[in-house]
Amino acid sequence: MTRRAPAPPGARAAWLSVGGLGLSALVWGVSWWPVRHAQALGVQPLWTTALVYAPGALLVLVLRPGALRQWLRSPGLLLVALAAGCANACFNLGVANGDVVRVVLLFYLMPVWATLLARWLLDERIGAAGWLRLALALAGALIVLWPAGAGLPLPRQGADWLGLVGGMFFALDNVMLRRCAHASESARMLAMFGGGLLCGALLAWLLQGLGAAPALPPWRAAWGLPVLLLGLAVVAGSYGLQYGAARLPAALTAVIMMLEVVFASLSSAWFGAGRLDARAWIGGGLIGAGVLLGALAEAAAERRAAARDGAPGARHNVDHAAGATAARGSHR
């Protein structure tokens, strides 16, 4: 039996949806600051990653204890956890040690990798419009990476590579979420929160054992409180994303979530952690255009699917939101 789409949200629900998405974009846009702040006080970014995701994982376990059993029994959700954890570890290491603007823009090449992975894992056809989106995003990346002097537009530092690789893992996370759309929302949320916690802690412990990273220092309010607040903000932002993406069109969701790049770029430039030059503006614009075109394509596909199923509109429910396509993105 076909499940009909809910009615379009009223004014109050629409404002709450936009607010939830805006909160999520703000949280991720300024998340670089607590990570860098904690590192300056001796906390390795991988430990920060683990601590930030601990409140979310704990909350899901307390409210939905059955989610753990479903997560551990699903190979797909285990891969979601691995991909989400590695994406967040790469992102936090990148913004902690490099130019925040460049890392965020290169991370947002995620739709390129997601399109290619969806073709491979989900057998989705790319088509002419898909290739256009890929070309726009890749052109934006080349502009961001183009050196001031002579040379090829390749990543020039470790943070650039971390941004690129983090985006690849984030794309895998998104594609696997779509593949695991049958799982409960709580199990998917636990996989993503748990992945950030476990991958961060295990990588930090491994590097510590190799002498390549310091141990987690004793708790101090100077770094502990900002990290704790970020962890709680991540929980709020993640649920804000789920609420908003479940009720608003994919294209609008993608536009609002692109505010993350704006928040990250402006805040890092203000505090001297990133540089906003012409290449960043032009390259970021092209990458954003690729994301937006992907969201518009998703919205059109949803309308076609709804028409085939006899539904009056696109399907926007919470389960679909948590397994949304790469153009819309999952929370990190």
Side-chain angles (χ1 to χ4, degrees):
M1 182 176 181
T2 301
R3 175 164 43 184
R4 289 185 176 272
R12 182 172 180 273
W15 280 111
L16 288 175
S17 299
V18 172
L21 294 174
L23 174 63
S24 181
L26 176 63
V27 169
W28 295 118
V30 301
S31 64
W32 64 270
W33 183 85
V35 175
R36 290 177 77 119
H37 174 75
Q39 180 175 246
L41 296 177
V43 184
Q44 215 271 351
L46 291 172
W47 284 120
T48 302
T49 302
L51 294 173
V52 163
Y53 283 93
L58 180 62
L59 182 64
V60 176
L61 286 174
V62 170
L63 297 180
R64 297 288 188 272
L68 178 61
R69 183 167 53 254
Q70 186 178 5
W71 171 31
L72 296 179
R73 289 180 176 178
S74 171
L77 288 179
L78 291 174
L79 186 53
V80 166
L82 177 64
C86 290
N88 284 286
C90 289
F91 181 82
N92 286 338
L93 281 171
V95 297
N97 297 290
D99 185 299
V100 174
V101 174
R102 290 170 62 89
V103 172
V104 170
L105 289 177
L106 293 174
F107 188 89
Y108 258 83
L109 278 177
M110 175 267 294
V112 172
W113 320 126
T115 300
L116 297 176
L117 284 171
R119 178 69 184 90
W120 175 38
L121 296 175
L122 304 179
D123 199 28
E124 290 187 358
R125 181 173 172 273
I126 295 179
W131 288 114
L132 174 61
R133 296 194 299 270
L134 293 182
L136 283 173
L138 287 174
L142 291 177
I143 291 173
V144 170
L145 292 171
W146 208 282
L152 296 175
L154 297 173
R156 286 173 282 167
Q157 50 188 334
D160 289 350
W161 285 109
L162 287 167
L164 281 171
V165 174
M168 293 178 185
F169 277 116
F170 190 35
L172 177 60
D173 175 39
N174 274 263
V175 172
M176 289 307 302
L177 279 172
R178 293 166 60 191
R179 201 168 187 177
C180 297
H182 60 279
S184 68
E185 179 189 0
S186 57
R188 293 192 298 263
M189 296 285 279
L190 181 60
M192 289 182 283
F193 285 132
L197 168 60
L198 294 176
C199 286
L202 289 174
L203 288 173
W205 178 78
L206 177 62
L207 291 178
Q208 178 184 329
L210 295 174
L216 180 65
W219 168 273
R220 287 175 52 199
W223 64 263
L225 288 180
V227 170
L228 175 61
L229 289 175
L230 177 59
L232 296 176
V234 164
V235 174
S238 298
Y239 280 94
L241 172 60
Q242 300 304 315
Y243 182 89
R247 291 162 178 82
L248 296 178
L252 179 57
T253 298
V255 170
I256 297 173
M257 288 308 299
M258 283 302 294
L259 288 174
E260 175 187 339
V261 178
V262 177
F263 289 137
S265 299
L266 295 180
S267 62
S268 61
W270 180 269
F271 289 102
R275 184 182 172 196
L276 273 174
D277 53 17
R279 287 197 303 274
W281 284 109
I282 298 172
L286 291 173
I287 293 172
V291 174
L292 179 57
L293 288 176
L296 291 171
E298 179 195 354
E302 287 181 357
R303 287 194 297 270
R304 290 193 297 270
R308 285 196 302 269
D309 293 339
R315 294 166 294 168
H316 290 295
N317 51 62
V318 173
D319 283 345
H320 177 73
T325 61
R328 186 180 309 187
S330 72
H331 70 277
R332 283 204 296 273

